[in-house]
Amino acid sequence: MQHLAVIGAGAWGTALAVVCRRAGRRVTLWGRDPARMDEIAKGRENPRYLPGITLDKEIHVTGDAAALAEAEAALVVVPAQTLRATLSELAPALRPDLPLVLCAKGIEQHSGQLMTAVAEACVPRNPLAVLSGPTFAAEVAAGLPTAVTLASDAPALAEALARAIGSSRFRPYVSDDPLGVEIGGAVKNVLAIACGIVAGRRLGDNARAALITRGLAELTRLCLARGGKVETMMGLAGIGDLTLSCTATQSRNYSLGFALGAGKTLEAALATSRGVTEGVYTAKAAAEMAEAEGIEMPICRAVDQVVNQGADLAAAIEGLMARPFKAEGFSA
């Protein structure tokens, strides 16, 4: 794979374009706003989403979907809630044998579907893979050491994609559990909001450690219920991404939770966020998915109640702490 396309020119899409070029590939970076793409092409920088990172002159920046036709694989890096619309729009321009790497982390709110299910509905003939893991776009673009999980039901495809995008500073590990990788990437956003709330209310490091641990139990419970693998939750797409998102202020979801914990309204907290805070949407979808599977996900349910149903934050925290005592484990 010598020519890779990146669909979506936000911070993460731009960073992945840099990654692909760093790996020695021809790169096409596509975005839906021609005027903004022209600005990026002329300035060789994405000032809105990834300021300070110079784009190699060999990265072709465009708003023309026809430019995607020659790519040998495409990384799809648009927000989870817009994936369906984007793929439906681009379907005529995508070859049916073009491998698509889904890089959004979320669950579609209105359908409750993971990103692979959304993609299969829009472009049913395209081979799919999923990329996830502990990644902040600015660090990746700057060339700081990063490791990710690249998963597909077709192991040969995952291995070929890993060779295409990997470098000494960006290390993909392959997996045959795309479902588990998707669940880890989606639900960790909800748990990051919860950890931000803990920090914003000054509830202490003990509480955050407990929440991360019990959040991992919730992730694993849902993963297993949907047919994923426990090993995935112990890897980069599980505990790795969860730890990063729940401990770093660079995380939009953590920062949103911090603002809520400090007393801001949801509207005020969202107004200061640049980009999409997926955990708000995923909280509702994850709670509904847990109910459909008949499993307990009390942290995710509490976040959904706070951000989507207007529940009192103090009451939600008290409700979590007042739950019956149980044995520790993924089933508790």
Side-chain angles (χ1 to χ4, degrees):
M1 296 181 180
Q2 296 302 315
H3 185 183
L4 302 177
V6 178
I7 296 171
W12 188 216
T14 305
L16 284 173
V18 172
V19 164
C20 293
R21 180 57 193 156
R22 192 176 286 144
R25 310 304 166 204
R26 290 176 56 203
V27 182
T28 297
L29 175 62
W30 177 89
R32 66 169 55 256
D33 183 344
R36 192 165 71 84
M37 299 310 290
D38 186 57
E39 176 189 14
I40 294 171
K42 290 178 179 177
R44 307 314 299 175
E45 181 182 356
N46 188 338
R48 180 176 181 182
Y49 290 111
L50 203 61
I53 298 296
T54 301
L55 301 185
D56 189 291
K57 63 181 180 180
E58 297 300 323
I59 296 176
H60 178 47
V61 180
T62 182
D64 182 3
L68 304 173
E70 297 180 2
E72 296 171 71
L75 284 70
V76 185
V77 201
V78 298
Q81 307 308 319
T82 64
L83 179 66
R84 188 181 297 273
T86 301
L87 287 182
S88 297
E89 174 189 341
L90 294 178
L94 302 176
R95 297 194 324 272
D97 62 342
L98 179 71
L100 301 179
V101 184
L102 306 180
C103 304
K105 299 176 180 180
I107 302 171
E108 190 176 53
Q109 188 176 38
H110 74 269
S111 70
Q113 291 184 328
L114 295 166
M115 297 297 96
T116 49
V118 173
E120 285 166 356
C122 300
V123 285
R125 293 184 293 174
N126 289 83
L128 300 177
V130 177
L131 187 149
S132 191
T135 52
F136 285 139
E139 293 187 9
V140 171
L144 298 179
T146 301
V148 297
T149 301
L150 211 165
S152 174
D153 290 327
L157 175 60
E159 291 169 4
L161 289 166
R163 289 193 298 269
I165 68 174
S167 68
S168 61
R169 286 174 277 178
F170 190 83
R171 183 176 177 82
Y173 286 82
V174 298
S175 166
D176 62 355
D177 183 23
L179 185 147
V181 170
E182 286 192 277
I183 288 174
V187 180
K188 64 90 184 181
N189 287 329
V190 184
L191 299 168
I193 292 176
C195 276
I197 290 171
V198 165
R201 289 185 75 88
R202 300 181 182 273
L203 297 180
D205 292 334
N206 292 352
R208 180 166 59 182
L211 196 149
I212 291 172
T213 306
R214 295 313 302 165
L216 177 61
E218 293 192 16
L219 276 179
T220 306
R221 200 176 299 138
L222 182 59
C223 176
L224 294 177
R226 294 297 297 264
K229 299 180 178 180
V230 68
E231 294 89 346
T232 304
M233 296 299 95
M234 300 301 111
L236 291 161
I239 186 63
D241 206 2
L242 178 64
T243 301
L244 181 70
S245 297
C246 289
T247 59
T249 55
Q250 290 184 64
S251 165
R252 289 193 297 269
N253 295 284
Y254 179 92
S255 295
L256 174 75
F258 188 97
L260 294 175
K264 287 189 177 181
T265 65
L266 178 64
E267 292 72 21
L270 287 171
T272 61
S273 176
R274 175 169 290 182
V276 178
T277 308
E278 287 288 358
V280 173
Y281 303 100
T282 301
K284 181 177 185 294
E288 292 175 348
M289 188 179 289
E291 183 176 358
E293 296 291 342
I295 60 174
E296 284 288 320
M297 296 182 67
I299 300 171
C300 289
R301 186 177 66 248
V303 172
D304 175 45
Q305 290 170 344
V306 169
V307 301
N308 294 314
Q309 301 177 42
D312 178 72
L313 183 54
I317 295 170
E318 182 62 28
L320 285 173
M321 294 302 294
R323 295 178 70 239
F325 300 130
K326 296 183 178 182
E328 188 174 26
F330 297 142
S331 62

